[in-house]
Amino acid sequence: MGSYVIRRFLQFIPVVILASIAVWAIVYAVPGSPAAALAGENATPETVAAIEERLGLNRPVIVQYFTWIGQAIHLDFGNSAINGQPVMEQLSSRIPASLQLALFAMVIGLVLAFPMGVVAAVKPRSIATKVINLYQAVALAVPTFWVGILLIIGLSVKNQVFPAISNYVSIWSDPIGAIRNTLLPALCLGIYISGIIARFITASLRDALGQDYVRTARAKGVPEGAVISRHAMRNAMLPTVTIVGLMIGEFLGGTVVTEVVFSYPGLGRMIYSGITARDYPIIQAAVLFTILAFLVINLLVDVLYAFLDPRVRLS
Amino acid sequence: MVTPVLQIEDLAVEFTTPEGVLRAVDGVSYSVDAGETLAVVGETGSGKSVTVLAALGLLDAGRIVSGRVMFDGLDLLRLPDKKLRRLLGSNLTMVFQNPMSALNPVMTVGRQVAETLVVHDRKLTNKGARGRAIELLALVGVPQPDVRFNQYPHEFSGGMCQRVVIAMAIANNPRVIIADEPTTAVDVTVQAQLLDLLQVAREETGAGVVLITHDLGVVAEVADRVAVMYAGRVVETAPVRNIFRAPQHPYTVGLLSCLPRLDSTVEELVPIPGSPANLLIRSPGCAFQPRCGLSADRDICTSDRPELAAAAADSAAAGSWAACHFADETTAWSAREHLVREPS
Ligand SMILES: Nc1ncnc2c1ncn2[C@@H]1O[C@H](COP(=O)(O)OP(=O)(O)OP(=O)(O)O)[C@@H](O)[C@H]1O
Ligand SMILES: [Mg+2]
């Protein structure tokens, strides 16, 4: 197990190198020179040159990359091109915010999805299943920003139960405040993913319930509840773990639309404002973190998968 | 006189398919006595599996149209689910065809055996169940049972998996063991061992065994009685020696002529002409008539459905029951046919 994890980490290295090159090259993907973009439309060539000098953009490309990566390894992503603040400072306040939102959303998503997925699989012809299918269709079809706006209008503007602008309050320092601030955006995301996750649970549980080992369990006299939970569910969890892991990975990179709608200070909004302001040190750092987070989550999913499925060998 | 330990009476099962309603089991009756092995034979699709799955409430599709399944004075088909589940795995157990998929891939083999014990004995501790499970594994011939206890099914061969399934089937001293083609999916070399194991299990527990099989060689070796199924019906039921000496139904004759015999001069196997009955179309007559060599297009075969009737007590087939209008002609007819088939 340990050696497997180490090997997987080593496999990260080429991926991370490629990713870092791509991320770093973002600067050059912007049409025109980044310095000119930063300087604005009416800037004199001298101003542009000064910005280039300040940001090191006049040095050879290779040198620029190695300088950047050398600093990035030491968690130094330079300073914001807009306000001159260290990027790492912003990043380190945004990451916990996005993490908290992601986990809240995932808890809500799972709590909603689990019973729906199980009921739809176990009683496919019931009225409850028809209602669940309808809910899923709506949850998937309605854009999250629209749900967000509805939630804000209903619960913040009209009833003032929740703040319309969600700040990041750590769950550790102020649980009530954290829930008040994080619940609406988390609900928004949670509803959306509950539709997807429930479908996964239904499909894989239905599949598992048709397998021979479920018939064996019934023939052994195992009560139906235990047949579902002990035998079918454990097998059905395998595909579900994968999709849940992928979603957490995606959320860790920030959820741009939801964070913007709720003015939530997460990575997504940081990327969003970084892009609009062409503040590329910010974009680079945020995207690199997103990629790393995704890789780590993927590894965790694989380890968990191997833990759940003895047929997967880790050696 | 022994009373049967399990008795299936007039069971009928239908499936609704896109092509129409399919009657997979059409009024099946058979019974098994304690300590007896009843072999159920018949070609693929004849309803052998559906019959037993329906009898035990394990069918996940389909509809039971009629019938009774009597066990211990109870009709299993009308028993509440919870009560039926309590009988399954204890009094009534099953061994399935495909041992590799019959075991849960994410649960250790030992836990699966122990589970069978625990669900029927709430007082059993984990430790006690583990001890009993290891004993059972040893009993069915799993080597190093205490090590194997903690392994997963994918670490077992097909034959070993089937031993585990048999261990679960005998764990709670069953009164009926139903084995649905228990050796079809395993290596030829272990088939005989598994059959021996089932025989031993039957002797140890005194259970009645229903053995579903394609293999008439197996029937000759282990069965006491045979039920022959065709198109969802039992067409002949007889003591095993009658089946081979004096088959009463033309379909049984057909099955036997497919069987290579060491003591016979017939070199070719004669397959039954025609294809298996289409269960979607229910004719009022005998389902085997289109393929039957004995019928010779006599009207009654297409107009009236034959019921099981006893062979004459003074004939060679005394004790046999066959569902054929002309069962009394079968012996002479098959003798004639055999002459024709002799290589010239
Ligand atoms: N779930 C189902 N839906 C529709 N038809 C089914 C279903 N299960 C079984 N059948 C049909 O019922 C008939 C009897 O099937 P059954 O499995 O009992 O045959 P069998 O005698 O056990 O054959 P085999 O020797 O191949 O196991 C077949 O024609 C089959 O197509
Ligand atoms: Mg079958």
Side-chain angles (χ1 to χ4, degrees), chain A residues 212 216 220 222 224 230-231, chain B residues 85 101-102 104 112 115 120:
Chain A
D212 285 357
T216 307
K220 276 172 16 177
V222 179
E224 191 62 20
R230 208 181 304 154
H231 288 272
Chain B
R85 227 18 105 75
S101 60
N104 189 334
Q112 298 189 54
E115 185 186 36
H120 295 290

Side-chain angles (χ1 to χ4, degrees), chain A residues 153-291:
Chain A
I153 293 174
L155 296 173
S156 311
V157 179
K158 289 215 172 124
N159 295 310
Q160 314 206 325
V161 185
F162 294 98
I165 292 180
S166 304
N167 290 311
Y168 168 57
V169 178
S170 164
I171 185 101
W172 308 113
S173 57
D174 176 8
I176 308 270
I179 289 171
R180 266 174 52 82
N181 278 280
T182 321
L183 192 65
L184 288 194
L187 200 57
C188 213
L189 292 168
I191 288 173
Y192 175 69
I193 59 168
S194 70
I196 302 175
I197 298 174
R199 291 219 162 172
F200 257 83
I201 294 176
T202 303
S204 45
L205 185 56
R206 211 174 272 170
D207 178 68
L209 283 171
Q211 296 295 316
D212 285 357
Y213 56 79
V214 164
R215 196 179 55 189
T216 307
R218 290 183 175 136
K220 276 172 16 177
V222 179
E224 191 62 20
V227 169
I228 294 166
S229 62
R230 208 181 304 154
H231 288 272
M233 207 56 208
R234 176 109 190 259
N235 284 278
M237 281 320 293
L238 297 172
T240 312
V241 161
T242 308
I243 186 77
V244 168
L246 288 176
M247 283 173 167
I248 292 182
E250 211 173 296
F251 283 0
L252 281 189
T255 45
V256 176
V257 173
T258 308
E259 289 183 6
V260 169
V261 168
F262 288 93
S263 309
Y264 187 79
L267 272 175
R269 201 156 65 93
M270 181 172 150
I271 293 175
Y272 172 78
S273 38
I275 289 171
T276 36
R278 307 226 167 167
D279 194 346
Y280 64 87
I282 294 267
I283 305 173
Q284 287 173 326
V287 173
L288 191 64
F289 170 79
T290 305
I291 293 169

Side-chain angles (χ1 to χ4, degrees), chain A residues 78-91:
Chain A
N79 298 332
S80 159
I82 301 297
N83 58 18
Q85 303 262 327
V87 170
M88 197 52 210
E89 224 164 73
Q90 281 200 48
L91 199 61

Side-chain angles (χ1 to χ4, degrees), chain A residues 134-148 150 188 191-192:
Chain A
L134 188 69
Y135 167 87
Q136 289 172 351
V138 172
L140 291 177
V142 176
T144 45
F145 76 84
W146 176 246
V147 177
L150 287 184
C188 213
I191 288 173
Y192 175 69

